[in-house]
Amino acid sequence: SEPLLVNAARGDSVDRPPAWMMRQAGRYMAVYRKLAEKYPSFRERSENTDLIVQISLQPWEAFRPDGVIIFSDILTPLPAFGVPFDIEETRGPIIHSPVRSEDDLRALHPIDLDKLQFVGESLRILRKQVGHEAAVLGFVGAPWTIATYIVEGGTTRTYTTIKSMCHTSPDLLRGLLSHLTKAIIEYIIFQVESGAHCIQIFDSWGGQLPPHMWDLWSKPYITQMVREVKQRCPQTPLVLYINGNGGLIEKMKETGVDVIGLDWTVDMADGRRRLGSDISIQGNVDPAYLFSSIPALTTEIRRVVECAGPKGHILNLGHGVLVGTPEEAVAHFFDVARSFDFDAQLEDFA
């Protein structure tokens, strides 16, 4: 009775690889662009239940992926624990009061889930809409990644402020990461109790840390999150994705998550060899392949699936869908995923 994606995340036998795409709802879809013209504020689109559900279901209605991820943002819960922010179309997220002192840290408070009811209600509606035909996916940002925004004051290309804090104010940074860890744990539980089958943890900027620094400043907090969530929601698969994770994938496995998301810079065969067969993997077609010819895209999808093997693989891109991606290529991606038949392949092999 479980969705195909959940079974694959747990490492159970499946007859084909389940497939979804990171950023599968968004600007590459004409229907989304039309809606965004009517509602130009990203905050409104991602914090209004009706709009969240409508946008989340756009790729479901168009392509029937095996996972329907809630349309949201990793920064969405920030105001619920005391960090107001804005999103500007050209600059991205803006944190007007970065946390850079003990006084700033003391101004934060435990997460107030009442301020995130639009997330919970959206997940409940999505769960009813897709039933058992697809997994409803929730997601969160990892503590390190969320901290980069809160400390830097928004997006950055250098991460110099927070990286300096690792050495100049380590106790302050540890206090911030501990606060974020507790808040994110409660946010994950909230999403699961609201209907999410599976949760993806995005440590988007974890790959900006040298591996030994990731061991110090990201891994312990993700490990704590995984441990506590599994104590309270043992049946919920957890996925960990890091952009630029080639040097970290063995370390990622040590956090205890159920699925490791590989970006496209890691060869799938090498990733499977390094991780072993006792954990599931997700990915990792290069998003640029969706701009190539249909035969080239088909060949690459088949190569990735064959390298991953017939168990414990969720087909995905190695990053989010790119702006301008042809919708017919996205449709073909899911058509190819549905064309696999592992049972028949095993019979042919026998």
Side-chain angles (χ1 to χ4, degrees):
S1 63
E2 292 281 22
L4 185 70
L5 188 150
V6 175
N7 290 328
R10 292 175 179 162
D12 298 335
S13 296
V14 291
D15 57 2
R16 66 169 179 84
W20 70 283
M21 291 182 178
M22 292 181 283
R23 291 187 190 157
Q24 68 186 14
R27 288 177 290 173
Y28 76 99
M29 294 190 76
V31 66
Y32 176 86
R33 294 195 300 272
K34 184 177 180 180
L35 184 143
E37 289 177 2
K38 186 176 180 181
Y39 302 98
S41 166
F42 179 84
R43 289 285 301 272
E44 182 180 9
R45 295 196 297 272
S46 61
E47 297 180 14
N48 175 290
T49 299
D50 291 340
L51 295 177
I52 292 169
V53 171
Q54 185 177 347
I55 295 169
S56 301
L57 291 175
Q58 286 175 346
W60 165 249
E61 292 164 353
F63 313 117
R64 282 300 194 266
D66 296 296
V68 175
I69 189 165
I70 184 172
F71 183 76
S72 187
D73 192 87
I74 59 172
L75 301 185
T76 293
L78 265 60
F81 53 80
V83 183
F85 75 100
D86 293 318
I87 293 183
E88 297 182 4
E89 289 296 323
T90 55
R91 296 178 58 192
I94 306 294
I95 309 293
H96 295 291
S97 300
V99 174
R100 296 176 183 171
S101 70
E102 291 292 345
D103 287 341
D104 296 334
L105 181 59
R106 281 191 289 269
L108 304 184
H109 55 75
I111 191 166
D112 181 359
L113 296 172
D114 287 340
K115 295 182 178 179
L116 296 166
Q117 288 304 312
F118 56 88
V119 172
E121 185 61 25
S122 298
L123 287 167
R124 284 188 284 272
I125 295 171
L126 291 172
R127 183 73 176 253
K128 291 178 182 178
Q129 290 284 340
V130 303
H132 292 293
E133 294 183 60
V136 173
L137 306 174
F139 68 92
V140 297
W144 167 263
T145 289
I146 299 298
T148 63
Y149 289 99
I150 294 176
V151 171
E152 296 283 349
T155 55
T156 176
R157 293 183 179 180
T158 60
Y159 306 90
T160 50
T161 305
I162 190 167
K163 284 186 176 183
S164 296
M165 188 180 285
C166 294
H167 310 288
T168 59
S169 304
D171 291 341
L172 172 61
L173 183 54
R174 277 190 285 266
L176 175 59
L177 291 168
S178 294
H179 186 92
L180 293 174
T181 300
K182 294 174 185 175
I184 295 167
I185 288 169
E186 295 306 317
Y187 189 40
I188 291 175
I189 301 299
F190 173 69
Q191 291 187 49
V192 172
E193 292 178 346
S194 298
H197 288 99
C198 184
I199 300 291
Q200 177 148 319
I201 302 165
F202 285 94
D203 195 8
S204 304
W205 309 133
Q208 297 294 325
L209 287 168
H212 73 283
M213 293 288 282
W214 189 81
D215 274 343
L216 290 173
W217 296 106
S218 187
K219 180 183 173 183
Y221 303 97
I222 296 174
T223 302
Q224 180 184 344
M225 285 167 47
V226 172
R227 182 175 62 249
E228 294 194 25
V229 169
K230 286 198 167 295
Q231 287 174 352
R232 297 164 65 179
C233 303
Q235 299 303 312
T236 302
L238 300 176
V239 184
L240 176 59
Y241 173 82
I242 298 176
N243 187 27
N245 61 11
L248 298 172
I249 60 176
E250 292 89 352
K251 297 175 181 293
M252 292 167 69
K253 183 178 180 180
E254 293 169 0
T255 63
V257 294
D258 303 279
V259 185
I260 301 296
L262 299 178
D263 78 0
W264 79 91
T265 65
V266 179
D267 181 78
M268 179 57 77
D270 184 49
R272 175 57 87 187
R273 178 188 60 79
R274 290 167 62 185
L275 288 167
S277 59
D278 59 337
I279 190 169
S280 295
I281 51 179
Q282 179 175 274
N284 70 340
V285 175
D286 183 348
Y289 261 99
L290 295 167
F291 291 85
S292 64
S293 67
I294 291 299
L297 175 59
T298 303
T299 299
E300 178 62 8
I301 294 170
R302 293 192 173 279
R303 185 193 69 81
V304 167
V305 172
E306 289 167 6
C307 289
K311 286 185 67 175
H313 177 223
I314 299 168
L315 180 61
N316 205 315
L317 302 179
H319 199 273
V321 183
L322 299 173
V323 176
T325 297
E327 291 187 48
E328 56 269 24
V330 176
H332 183 72
F333 180 95
F334 291 112
D335 287 341
V336 174
R338 285 186 285 266
S339 73
F340 286 93
D341 187 341
F342 292 150
D343 293 336
Q345 289 173 342
L346 287 173
E347 290 176 8
D348 291 343
F349 180 77

